[in-house]
Amino acid sequence: MPSASIEFPYSRRPGRHHTVLIPAIPAEVQLPLGFHPIRPLPDSGADCTMLPRYIGNLIGLNFSRLPTRHISGIEGRTILGFKGTVRLRIVKLSLPPIPCIYVDSDRAPLLIGREGFFDLFNITFDNRRKKVVLTPLFRSEE
């Protein structure tokens, strides 16, 4: 039987004309000695999770050994990315390694893409309650 759902309230930030609600998920990246907190956005339009290169540096990745690819965004501009994996922990759930592109930009948004993550959870954007709800599709081994 899958684990119980996990709920995260939307973050808020001031916008130009109104408050912007942000459905970020508090997570932690597993490092060699501990964890680093992040708040990525679940993005069903992203094939793969995308994190800035500095997080890969914290993990200790050797970028010279990773395959590269050029990532294009909405405006068509490309940025260099390095294909690897990342291990995330959400609340007390340690996830298996998921594919991740580490991009050469500290301004790139932190995104959780479909590949490897959306297979693990039903994801609900509950706009009435202003929460992201993750329902694990696997048994938790806490």
Side-chain angles (χ1 to χ4, degrees):
M1 179 172 191
S3 300
S5 295
I6 310 161
E7 298 184 357
F8 303 103
Y10 288 177
S11 301
R12 299 171 185 267
R13 73 170 163 78
R16 180 174 269 170
H17 302 291
H18 60 281
T19 299
V20 177
L21 299 175
I22 303 170
I25 296 174
E28 297 172 298
V29 174
Q30 185 175 340
L31 305 177
L33 299 172
F35 292 87
H36 176 74
I38 60 171
R39 293 189 56 86
L41 294 170
D43 185 351
S44 64
D47 294 338
C48 190
T49 294
M50 183 176 76
L51 298 173
R53 184 176 177 156
Y54 81 86
I55 291 177
N57 288 331
L58 293 174
I59 294 169
L61 296 177
N62 181 347
F63 286 98
S64 67
R65 296 180 154 225
L66 296 178
T68 60
R69 62 189 285 197
H70 292 279
I71 310 299
S72 60
I74 294 170
E75 296 178 359
R77 289 188 230 162
T78 61
I79 187 168
L80 182 62
F82 299 86
K83 190 164 173 122
T85 61
V86 65
R87 291 194 65 113
L88 297 176
R89 182 169 73 177
I90 297 176
V91 185
K92 293 181 181 178
L93 296 176
S94 292
L95 306 181
I98 60 173
C100 182
I101 301 293
Y102 295 91
V103 294
D104 246 348
S105 171
D106 290 340
R107 294 181 11 182
L110 283 66
L111 303 176
I112 296 181
R114 291 187 319 276
E115 190 178 352
F117 186 83
F118 281 52
D119 302 332
L120 301 174
F121 298 95
N122 278 334
I123 302 165
T124 304
F125 296 93
D126 187 337
N127 290 317
R128 181 173 291 129
R129 296 187 313 135
K130 297 177 178 40
K131 294 183 178 196
V132 178
V133 181
L134 300 181
T135 305
L137 299 174
F138 57 93
R139 185 182 307 271
S140 173
E141 298 177 18
E142 296 178 33

